[in-house]
């Protein structure tokens, strides 16, 4: 494909993309293909000779698009959003042209420096304490990860290394030290709550440390509180185990609960290893989705985000509720040396004078992979194109629609019961019924009926044995009118279920 | 940014990208900015109001581009290539519009199915044994990872789980089992050679298992052979340690050495835990860069790739030497259940009937992260646009230029000594001199002088204490004439050094 052919192909791709977004509402939100649909449609192997773009593009339209579930569809109310926007697409476009494996500063200084700068911008915008700024008092800073799972894994690796460094005597022989580490590792526990995202469990599994969940229930609105944390810590320590890591959440997956940061701080302060002392518990804040709402000063204050100053790392995904393409998981750490000392692996071929001089950041030492894409470009484009006000308006608008939805659900007390929310554009509700069994049965049936409509997509979950439907309104193209129509679909389906249809 | 503004912005971006590629040779290959150059050029925080695209784009040109090191520049001879191509850029463009966190099949069936299919295409194209096909005899298959580092980490996690399952009795109580695992983990060893990429060491570090390197030297051309492996295995086992994982390489970072697959097979076959028996050592093949050359049947045969049938996983990066944008690391496994049993973490909210039915692949169970981009699209575009012949021609052409370069170096015996290669478009050489000290000093000086020219970029390394220059010719835009000119620069610099300039 030469420049002329590319120009033609790319121009037509841009037209297709615009048409795609404009015709989204006319498509079903979830693909209805059956498993294995694609293989019979494609050749059994790569073609011997190159094929013209026209053929490839027409296959994309006829064979691939029917297999796409549309995350930007106004009827997408499942999980959390996975964003895209025009400025972000332009960022990916430039980034793909400037392709490079930018693991070290010298591999493209702008890739490193823009990342540091836009993550500082974001840190300020979200009202994070100044310790998370690269220019802050504790040598903190931000780094873009692929996903919140990689962020929590990275934080946990750093936390383990920090804990071992702080708790194993430094005067041991090499052999004694290996034994001490092996012994210690077998006792180390990573903590989360029963509402925490599964990525913390997966990270513990990968690290090979124990994983314990702290039960949270409807009584505390599914958020972690001081008594629950203190009680788990005491019981673990009584068994000779050593908790070293805790994921606290700002916006849990099921219900968008926010853990009680003040309570966590006070619980840890009275523990044998209070914050700031050797052996302290690393607290990682998973704000993957709801962290976006911190662009609003009132959310900074209601969630008490300033308290995370005593914690260690914070992660939020711009690719969920902040108009940026997957992947853009923004991980902030209070002291970047914790990452570097855990993840630095040197090899002669990567040596260069800029790195050796210690004046630059080599992001390979802040992450699991070596190479990295130029992902800060799309964040920069989004922050500048929308501006702070544009982002605030977007969050306010979609959260407001969620509040209206919750009101409508609440008004239909004969049919529905709101279980949690509205919280960060998410409402969790279920159907009424004569007993738990009927409520569960009806809600399950309702979820199936709604999704079968093809027009909207929701996900369901189970809260303390109660089957429930999650309804999220954070997608950029979702307007009040779409949600109003969706509520009509939901009511009609629910009425049918009550009538035994 | 509305559709009309996007159309304008994207059209101008495409023009800029074409101009960028066409004017690349006129730019210096490595950015010459000084650390911290960017911060004074940008605002201290995100703008309050959105800014017009014209302003953003002009900042990109004036502030970001000077900080870019150009990996597609014809004078880029450092590390390995990090590719891009027009069809691949189109793949990223579509992918960014169809943004979604496609962790489960239902989240976009086409994303999962196209990935399975194009990785089968690739597996055939590279001549991998049929066990690595998703349709093969052992339930294998491929998955796209972000980088070779994530691939080896994923493989090692799976290997650890497999090893524990196979070697710990299944009739233990929960507590006994935890103790047994803790004990076992402290003894488990991941192996690599002194020439293996640092990602294996990093993976072992993350997992918290021991890491041991097997020394390889110039005598075996830096490749792992049976005697070296057997001797390390015996000595580890004599110490009561348990080797469970080995990374073997097809194209090492320093010299593009290929480990002796036949030798590894024979060494393992005579070990106490031969391939196919419980407790066998998982062999992962890291073919990150040179794996691309397997598109040539003669390379399949010279590297004896068919022998990896007895091994467990194989990884190559299409984003290095196969015209696809970063990231496209293609990881193949002989039995996909090894991934799923190690990496599956269930959460109610991810439940759906397709997954529950067991008829579909949920790639989140084959990787560290949960979410994933639509990365197979660019691979599909590249395979179809170039066709098998196009890819073969590209590899042949760039490898041939590397052979010519090595010949030219060899002809200047007064100045240079070739240490390894040409191997997969990589030649490693150094300067002559009266003794090792002078050779090292001169070579180091030569590397600095070459890079200071701005016109070409090479990396250096150290082989058994010998300072050496790596010269790689795999970049798509590098033609014979560029390498000829580069060789002129190198000779002139070397002659100057000999003359004491």
């Amino acid at each position: 494909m030469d420049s002329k052919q590319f120009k033609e192909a790319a121009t037509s791709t841009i037209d297709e993309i615009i048409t795609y977004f404009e015709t989204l509402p006319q498509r079903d939100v979830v693909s209805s293909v059956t498993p294995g649909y694609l293989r019979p449609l494609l050749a059994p192997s790569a073609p011997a000779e190159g094929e013209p773009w026209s053929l490839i593009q027409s296959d994309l339209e006829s064979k691939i698009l029917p297999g796409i579930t549309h995350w930007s569809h106004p009827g997408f109310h499942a999980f959390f959003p996975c964003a895209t926007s025009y400025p972000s697409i332009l960022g990916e476009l430039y980034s793909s042209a400037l392709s490079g494996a930018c693991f070290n500063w010298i591999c493209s200084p702008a890739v490193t420096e823009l990342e540091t700068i836009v993550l500082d911008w974001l840190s300020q915008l979200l009202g994070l304490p100044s310790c998370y700024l690269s220019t802050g008092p504790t040598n903190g800073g931000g780094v873009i990860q692929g996903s919140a799972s990689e962020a929590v894994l990275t934080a946990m690796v750093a936390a383990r290394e920090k804990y071992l460094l702080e708790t194993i005597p430094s005067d041991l022989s090499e052999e004694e030290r290996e034994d001490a580490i092996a012994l210690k590792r077998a006792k180390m526990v990573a903590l989360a709550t029963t509402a925490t995202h599964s990525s913390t469990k997966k990270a513990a599994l990968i690290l090979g440390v124990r994983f314990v969940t702290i039960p949270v229930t409807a009584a505390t609105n599914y958020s972690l509180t001081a008594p629950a944390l203190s009680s788990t810590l005491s019981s673990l320590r009584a068994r000779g185990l050593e908790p070293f890591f805790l994921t606290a959440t700002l916006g849990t997956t099921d219900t968008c609960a926010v853990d009680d940061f003040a309570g966590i701080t006070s619980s840890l302060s009275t523990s044998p290893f209070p914050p700031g002392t050797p052996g302290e518990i690393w607290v990682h804040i998973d704000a993957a989705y709801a962290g976006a709402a911190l662009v609003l000063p009132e959310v900074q204050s209601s969630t008490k985000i300033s308290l995370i100053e005593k914690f260690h790392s914070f992660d939020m995904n711009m690719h969920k509720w902040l108009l940026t393409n997957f992947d853009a998981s923004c991980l902030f750490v209070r002291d970047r040396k914790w990452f570097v000392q855990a993840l630095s692996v040197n090899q002669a071929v990567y040596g260069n004078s800029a790195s050796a001089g210690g004046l630059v950041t080599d992001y390979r030492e802040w992450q699991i992979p070596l190479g990295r894409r130029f992902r800060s470009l799309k964040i920069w484009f989004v922050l500048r194109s929308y501006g702070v006000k544009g982002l605030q308006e977007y969050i306010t608008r979609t959260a407001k629609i969620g509040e209206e939805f919750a009101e409508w659900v609440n008004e239909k007390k004969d049919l529905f019961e709101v279980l949690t929310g509205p919280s960060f554009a998410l409402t969790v509700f279920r159907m009424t019924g004569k007993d738990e069994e009927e409520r569960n049965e009806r809600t399950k049936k309702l979820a199936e009926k709604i999704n079968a409509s093809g027009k909207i997509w929701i996900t369901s979950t189970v809260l303390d044995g109660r089957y429930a439907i999650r309804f999220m309104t954070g997608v950029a193209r979702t307007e009040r009118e779409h949600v109003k129509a969706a509520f009509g679909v939901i009511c009609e389906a629910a009425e049918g279920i009550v009538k035994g249809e």
Side-chain angles (χ1 to χ4, degrees), chain A:
Chain A
M1 188 180 285
D2 61 23
S3 299
K4 193 168 157 287
Q5 290 165 325
F6 172 65
K7 167 92 181 163
E8 271 172 38
T11 306
S12 111
T13 297
I14 286 158
D15 290 336
E16 299 266 338
I17 287 173
I18 291 170
T19 307
Y20 169 75
F21 286 125
E22 288 177 348
T23 57
L24 259 183
Q26 292 138 47
R27 298 178 189 261
D28 276 2
V29 55
V30 184
S31 168
S32 59
V33 299
T34 50
Y37 90 100
L38 189 57
R39 194 175 286 269
L41 303 180
L42 301 185
S45 54
E49 308 279 347
E51 296 177 299
W53 174 248
S54 56
L55 202 61
I56 300 171
Q57 197 173 29
S58 91
D59 275 359
L60 183 79
E61 180 64 38
S62 64
K63 297 170 183 174
I64 302 300
L65 275 181
I68 295 292
T69 291
H70 307 288
W71 289 63
S72 296
H73 192 289
F76 187 96
H77 305 291
F79 306 111
F80 289 129
C82 185
T84 188
S85 69
Y86 286 139
S88 180
I89 291 174
L90 293 171
E92 288 287 13
L93 185 53
Y94 267 115
S95 165
S96 62
L98 302 174
S99 189
C102 303
F103 42 83
N104 281 350
W105 178 87
I106 190 65
C107 292
S108 253
V111 173
T112 295
E113 297 202 7
L114 187 64
E115 184 159 332
T116 307
I117 293 166
V118 297
L119 266 65
D120 279 346
W121 283 15
L122 186 63
S123 180
Q124 292 170 315
L125 179 58
L126 302 178
L128 304 190
S130 64
C131 61
Y132 293 100
L133 287 173
S134 76
T135 54
T138 53
N139 298 313
V143 58
I144 305 172
Q145 305 272 327
S147 71
S149 301
E150 285 149 280
V152 69
L153 176 62
T154 304
M156 200 185 286
V157 171
R160 181 183 62 189
E161 191 60 26
K162 175 174 179 291
Y163 188 80
L164 292 173
L165 272 172
E166 288 176 356
T167 60
I168 291 184
S170 56
D171 57 352
L172 301 182
S173 72
E174 187 59 28
E175 203 169 318
E176 286 169 337
R177 191 177 155 73
E178 278 198 355
D179 287 347
I181 288 179
L183 206 67
K184 186 69 90 177
R185 273 201 182 126
K187 292 185 200 160
M188 287 170 72
V189 179
L191 284 167
T193 79
T194 43
T196 307
H197 187 264
S198 54
S199 53
T200 297
K201 182 177 180 181
K202 196 165 181 175
L205 211 145
I206 291 166
L207 261 67
V209 294
R210 288 169 198 255
F211 174 72
V212 167
T213 52
I214 306 168
V216 291
T217 64
T220 61
N221 210 12
Y222 301 100
S223 63
L224 176 62
T225 56
L229 176 57
S230 297
S231 139
T232 299
L233 290 179
S234 312
S235 96
L236 289 174
R237 288 187 171 127
R239 288 169 55 201
L241 297 175
E242 305 184 23
F244 78 105
F245 186 89
L246 167 69
T247 297
T249 308
L250 193 160
T252 57
T253 310
D254 277 340
T255 69
C256 270
V258 178
D259 288 337
D260 176 7
F261 299 155
I264 293 168
T265 307
S266 83
S267 164
L268 294 179
S269 300
T270 56
S271 84
F273 306 95
T277 64
E280 64 173 334
I281 292 177
W282 179 300
V283 185
H284 173 74
I285 304 296
D286 177 3
Y289 165 66
L294 293 170
V295 298
L296 301 173
E298 60 268 32
V299 175
Q300 295 170 16
S301 125
S302 67
T303 56
K304 302 199 179 79
I305 197 66
S306 63
L307 293 179
I308 73 166
E309 194 176 17
K310 297 271 187 225
F311 300 161
H312 303 77
S313 51
F314 171 95
D315 182 66
M316 66 80 62
N317 293 343
M318 282 203 62
H319 63 249
K320 283 196 164 73
W321 199 15
L322 222 42
L323 300 163
T324 310
N325 276 90
F326 189 90
D327 48 347
S329 189
C330 301
L331 172 63
F332 298 90
V333 66
R334 204 176 74 210
D335 187 340
R336 54 193 180 241
K337 85 160 177 285
W338 295 328
F339 283 166
V340 176
Q341 74 197 6
L343 290 161
S344 177
V345 174
N346 284 315
Q347 191 161 352
V349 73
Y350 299 126
N352 66 86
S353 59
S355 296
L359 284 170
V360 299
T361 297
D362 289 332
Y363 271 127
R364 71 187 164 100
E365 297 179 333
W366 298 45
Q367 63 176 20
I368 310 297
L370 175 71
R372 51 210 328 275
R373 297 189 300 131
F374 194 0
R375 292 178 292 202
S376 55
L377 209 49
K378 61 187 172 191
I379 297 180
W380 193 48
F381 287 1
V382 165
L383 294 178
R384 292 188 65 181
S385 293
Y386 287 90
V388 174
K389 285 189 191 162
L391 298 174
Q392 288 173 336
E393 278 164 19
Y394 161 62
I395 296 289
T396 303
R397 179 178 67 77
T398 48
K400 179 81 180 51
I401 300 174
E403 281 158 26
E404 283 195 85
F405 176 80
E407 276 168 32
W408 301 333
V409 174
N410 256 323
E411 281 163 12
K412 292 266 186 190
K413 291 217 188 302
D414 52 325
L415 288 175
F416 306 122
E417 176 193 5
V418 169
L419 292 180
T420 71
S423 176
F424 302 107
L426 177 72
T427 300
V428 183
F429 68 100
R430 62 168 174 171
M431 281 197 70
T432 52
K434 65 175 188 298
D435 54 20
E436 283 299 301
E437 196 185 331
E438 190 178 71
R439 282 172 214 134
N440 279 350
E441 220 167 75
R442 283 178 166 185
T443 309
K444 197 167 179 180
K445 208 179 277 175
L446 178 63
E448 283 160 11
K449 278 182 90 167
I450 297 172
N451 284 344
S453 77
K455 291 302 158 205
I456 55 177
W457 197 32
I458 52 88
T459 33
S460 47
T461 191
V462 181
L463 297 178
D464 294 334
R466 297 176 300 169
Y467 205 91
I469 290 174
R470 296 169 73 266
F471 192 92
M472 178 282 302
T473 57
V475 170
R477 280 181 174 71
T478 302
E479 300 286 349
R480 188 178 179 277
E481 74 199 60
H482 300 116
V483 174
K484 188 88 196 164
F487 187 62
V489 171
I490 294 170
C491 286
E492 198 185 310
E495 281 155 8
I497 288 168
V498 170
K499 285 185 205 145
E501 281 166 6

